[in-house]
Amino acid sequence: MENREKEILIIKETKKLEGTVQISGAKNSALPNIAATILTDKPVILENIPELLDVRYMCTLLKEIGSSITQIDEKSWVFSLKEPSSLEAKYDIVSKMRASILVLGPMVARFGEAKVALPGGCPIGQRPIDMHIKALEKMGIKIEKEHGFIVAKGKPKGAHIVFDRVTVTGTENIIMAAVLAEGETVIENAALEPEVVDLTVLLKKMGADITWNWKGKSRTIKIRGVKKLNGAKHKIIPDRIEAGTFAILSALTDSSIIIKDYPENFLTYVNWIMRKMGIFIVKIGKNEVVVKKDKNLKPAFIETKEYPFFPTDLQAQFMTLLSVVDGLSIIKENIFENRFLHVPELNRLGANIKVQNNKVAIIDGVKKLTGAEVKATDLRASAAMVLAGVIAEGKTIIHDIYHLDRGYEKIDHKLKSIGVDVERKKVKQMLVKEV
Ligand code: EPU
């Protein structure tokens, strides 16, 4: 038997919350924006970078490639990659964070060469990267898979890419490959997520030539390659998923916490779903909102779908909310094939949720949840457990909270500041060796 330390979160039921919560910079915007700094030998300043485990992994990866990274203030960093010291993204980081694949596009674009470890498994689904590879091959890059690595060679050339399905990091990788490519690239069926748009805003500041066309059903991006990109200064957009999570927390506890930097424009569809349930986002200042709710909320039908529709990254948190809304609610997960890992954990807390074919969850609202020990099975499932812990009677202990630290900046501090009774504790973990 071996002893190791791990962290748990202990949350006690907290009835009413008050105070202000500041929404951090978006993880899924910070990651591609940091990768984009590879594209130039000039310094790029990124502001509003959230302090997250995934951001640290991405910075470690860039340092291994040869980037110098200097902190200017709490949230701003300068990235500069004059000469690469290595063109390899090693397995130890890639296996921890799938978004490491985002260095592939910029590395081939600038250096004509890259070696990136294959990401491997993921709890929420298989998450292949076949569409990234197919598109790069269409741009003339020679790609081999050897010894667990993708080895890419060649400078990208403009091409007409049609993605079979919408892929967020796939779109970002190809945009970054195309900005320095010879000729014009057209990406059809591109992802329109605000984080993808934010990446193009940075790239345009660096001198890239990018135009969007998302009229009607069209999801097309046109990129004319340029010879060189410059440095720039850019502020990362607020995290719509963190904002949505705090809005749900406010509704669950019927509290008027002030949510600062709530990106209302990125949450139009989510806000519409909330309104239909009887939850209202009320603007009280520039980018400041509070949440108001009807006495009795209505159940909902939610289907996850690419932006501008309902984000899969808020599905688990909404499930916690619906688990205590009287009546039958349905959630259909269309993006990932295994993203109901939080269901057995919510049921441990007293929810009544049944899953059909790993695709549809039927939620029969209960009066209350009761505290218990639960596992955080992935990042957003962890957030669902936190929300449940706040309203569950008694004490909830959440294990494996490292998932939470990957995507929620200083979550326990933020929760404490609005009155949640939460404690992070180091405990010994007993590891029984297999015999
Ligand atoms: N897919 C393929 N082949 C590919 C690429 C994707 O089959 O080459 C499939 C995936 O398996 C999935 C679907 O297409 O079923 C969509 O995946 P997508 O590529 O859009 O996901 P991603 O780019 O890997 C990003 C976010 C995720 C978020 C998804 C969907 C980042 C760093 N990650 O992942 O964020 O859930 O888009 O919106 O941007 C999270 O923050 O918790 C998170 C998982």
Side-chain angles (χ1 to χ4, degrees), residues 126-138:
Q126 289 184 41
R127 304 182 73 181
I129 47 162
D130 55 311
M131 292 194 282
H132 301 229
I133 291 176
K134 226 164 94 183
L136 285 172
E137 283 176 335
K138 200 140 189 235

Side-chain angles (χ1 to χ4, degrees), residues 124-128 131 164-168 193 219 269 273 301-316 319 330-340 342 355-361:
I124 62 174
Q126 289 184 41
R127 304 182 73 181
M131 292 194 282
D164 295 338
R165 64 181 288 188
V166 173
T167 162
V168 173
E193 268 65 6
R219 306 173 146 260
Y269 193 88
I273 294 274
F301 170 79
I302 295 175
E303 190 170 6
T304 65
K305 219 172 162 202
E306 312 80 29
Y307 194 84
F309 301 104
F310 192 90
T312 172
D313 293 345
L314 273 175
Q315 180 256 104
M319 193 160 326
I330 291 179
I331 296 186
K332 194 167 171 218
E333 171 59 51
N334 290 317
I335 306 294
F336 292 111
E337 64 272 23
N338 199 27
R339 214 175 196 183
F340 282 140
H342 42 281
V355 174
Q356 290 176 345
N357 304 324
N358 229 1
K359 210 171 165 56
V360 177

